[in-house]
């Protein structure tokens, strides 16, 4: 499916050509971004730490891990209880920044590598993104749900909401399968 096909499909489902589809796409994307934590959206970024603070990337959704060049172990801590031991660096989030706390005899690396789940870019600024390329039905259902909401069609919203939940379950299952790691041992007893 292409971006133009998405728009024409929305028009054909709603039988209305006056729907502000680009606005409906933006609304759908805003609702989907927090839900679409997927291995295709994983990224790494090198963050510069200044005065024990580092700014998170603009597309940050959720953290996977932090590492530094030293042997320090980076671990999440509470902002109110910074319990870190020798060789550890604690971190916590403050708005769009990470605050780091080192043990009394330690230090924070000047740069850390952040592995994180990123938000997909908006379709209106690009012609495609991983979610649209891999799961176009999620986009279609989310945009139709917003369109039926705009039309004040409660039945259409309910139908598309149920369809969107089904499509999202496919996304979650694909993510689960994509994360399976480790060796697979084949033996006759595996198949019994």
């Amino acid at each position: 499916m292409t971006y133009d096909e998405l728009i024409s499909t929305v028009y054909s489902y709603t039988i209305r050509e006056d729907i502000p589809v680009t606005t409906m796409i933006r609304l759908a994307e805003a609702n989907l971004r927090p839900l679409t934590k997927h291995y295709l959206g994983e990224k790494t970024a090198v963050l510069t730490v200044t005065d024990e603070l580092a700014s998170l990337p603009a597309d940050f959704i959720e953290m996977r891990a932090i590492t530094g060049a030293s042997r320090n172990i980076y671990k999440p801590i509470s902002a109110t209880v910074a319990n870190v031991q020798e060789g550890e660096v604690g971190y916590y989030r403050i708005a769009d920044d990470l605050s780091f706390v080192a043990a009394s005899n330690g230090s924070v690396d000047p740069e850390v590598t952040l592995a994180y789940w990123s938000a997909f870019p908006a379709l209106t600024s690009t012609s495609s993104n991983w979610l649209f390329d891999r799961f176009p039905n999620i986009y279609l259902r989310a945009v139709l749900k917003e369109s039926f909401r705009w039309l004040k069609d409660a039945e259409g919203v309910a139908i598309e909401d149920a369809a969107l939940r089904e499509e999202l379950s496919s996304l979650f299952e694909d993510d689960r399968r994509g994360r399976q790691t480790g060796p697979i041992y084949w033996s006759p007893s595996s198949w019994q």
Side-chain angles (χ1 to χ4, degrees):
M1 180 179 291
T2 65
Y3 182 77
D4 292 334
E5 289 172 336
L6 173 66
I7 291 173
S8 65
T9 303
V10 170
Y11 288 147
S12 70
Y13 268 76
T14 60
I15 315 171
R16 295 278 298 265
E17 299 251 345
D18 60 336
I19 293 175
V21 177
T22 55
T23 301
M24 299 302 113
I25 290 172
R26 279 192 294 260
L27 290 170
E29 288 174 332
N31 289 330
L32 288 172
R33 275 195 188 93
L35 302 175
T36 53
K37 194 173 83 173
H38 191 271
Y39 67 88
L40 291 174
E42 291 179 6
K43 286 185 177 180
T44 59
V46 175
L47 308 179
T48 301
V49 180
T50 307
D51 297 327
E52 275 66 45
L53 286 174
S55 295
L56 291 168
D59 63 349
F60 177 86
I61 291 179
E62 188 176 329
M63 186 175 322
R64 288 214 54 200
I66 297 177
T67 57
S70 68
R71 293 195 175 271
N72 288 332
I73 296 171
Y74 286 80
K75 68 175 194 175
I77 59 170
S78 165
T80 57
V81 180
N83 186 12
V84 291
Q85 307 299 318
E86 183 179 340
E88 294 179 338
V89 175
Y91 62 87
Y92 58 91
R93 186 174 178 179
I94 301 175
D96 289 333
D97 294 324
L98 287 178
S99 179
F100 294 93
V101 178
S104 60
N105 58 349
S107 64
V108 180
D109 292 302
E111 289 186 339
V112 294
T113 301
L114 171 71
Y116 68 102
W117 285 282
S118 67
F120 56 85
L123 271 186
T124 51
S125 62
T126 64
S127 60
S128 122
N129 60 44
W130 68 263
L131 181 63
F132 186 65
D133 292 343
R134 187 85 168 254
F135 301 95
N137 287 348
I138 289 176
Y139 254 94
L140 176 62
R141 296 304 177 189
V143 174
L144 284 172
K145 179 180 170 184
E146 294 302 324
S147 299
F148 284 121
R149 184 175 285 141
W150 183 81
L151 291 168
K152 297 176 179 47
D153 180 347
E155 183 181 358
V157 171
I159 290 169
E160 293 306 328
D161 185 53
L164 177 59
R165 289 176 195 272
E166 273 183 48
E167 296 297 339
L168 284 171
S169 69
S170 298
L171 173 83
F172 302 145
E173 178 61 17
D174 184 68
D175 181 56
R176 185 190 68 76
R177 287 182 181 174
R179 288 187 191 291
Q180 288 180 344
T181 59
I184 298 173
Y185 297 102
W186 301 102
S187 70
S189 61
S190 299
W191 297 99
Q192 294 177 1

